[in-house]
Amino acid sequence: MQDLLFFAHYGLLLLFGVVLSISFTGVKMPSIKNILISLSLFIVCSLLQLFAFLQFGENLVWMLYPLISHLPIFLVLCLYYRKNPLSVLSAISTAYLCCQPAKWLGLLTFALTENEILELIVRMTVLLAVGAVSLIFISPVLSKLFEKDIKSVLIFGSVPIIYYLFDYIMGIYTDLWITHNRVVAEFLPFFLCIVFMVFCLFYYKEYEQKLDANFKEQVVSLIADQQQKEL
């Protein structure tokens, strides 16, 4: 039972990442063609993961995950769908970030119950819930944000991209995250603070430009109305 849930969780996690990464770039999932491409990507990445798991074990699968799972998605979105590489990287990183609620709640469940089966069930349930919410509510918004200019994409995509790199470097490729190093522990709060300040400045500038454009539009409208009255 536990082994079955273990592999089911792996498969659901991969499908979750493939579907969200594609939808976050603005690719319409209801299309039969896009669904077939998503399923093909899922099968290819699953076979690569299975091969890596049988040959090297679970630990190395996580170390190779960017190459055997995220790289194929990146190449398909850039080469076939002609999406901007930075937008694709932001979308994949955001999909990776969306996995964290399921991961944390699963760890919390195990900490409270010490039951691995219950942990896997919680993870899978939360993945399904987060996936549904993301596809319905978040995907339409992010797909528009990631289609904007490079500056805007950098603002909105920097947090998931940095978190992606941070998680792999500190937790998978090294053990720095568990060394209680204060420099490592304080990096994410520091980075989030910087991004928040930049976002506030960016948002304020955009807001001011919008107000200025609305004001000019009202002035032009008043002038046109006045000229029409005079005529």
Side-chain angles (χ1 to χ4, degrees), residues 17-84:
V18 170
V19 172
L20 286 194
S21 297
I22 292 177
S23 64
F24 284 167
T25 57
V27 176
K28 304 301 181 184
M29 291 311 296
S31 166
I32 295 177
K33 181 187 74 172
N34 294 332
I35 291 175
L36 290 176
I37 291 174
S38 301
L39 289 176
S40 300
L41 260 176
F42 170 73
I43 293 171
V44 170
C45 295
S46 297
L47 292 175
L48 291 174
Q49 285 191 25
L50 180 61
F51 175 79
F53 181 81
L54 294 176
Q55 291 293 321
F56 309 113
E58 181 185 0
N59 290 335
L60 199 58
V61 169
W62 288 116
M63 297 182 71
L64 295 174
Y65 208 87
L67 295 177
I68 61 180
S69 298
H70 299 146
L71 182 59
I73 302 171
F74 181 87
L75 293 175
V76 168
L77 287 170
C78 289
L79 300 179
Y80 180 78
Y81 288 105
R82 304 294 182 182
K83 298 294 183 179
N84 184 297

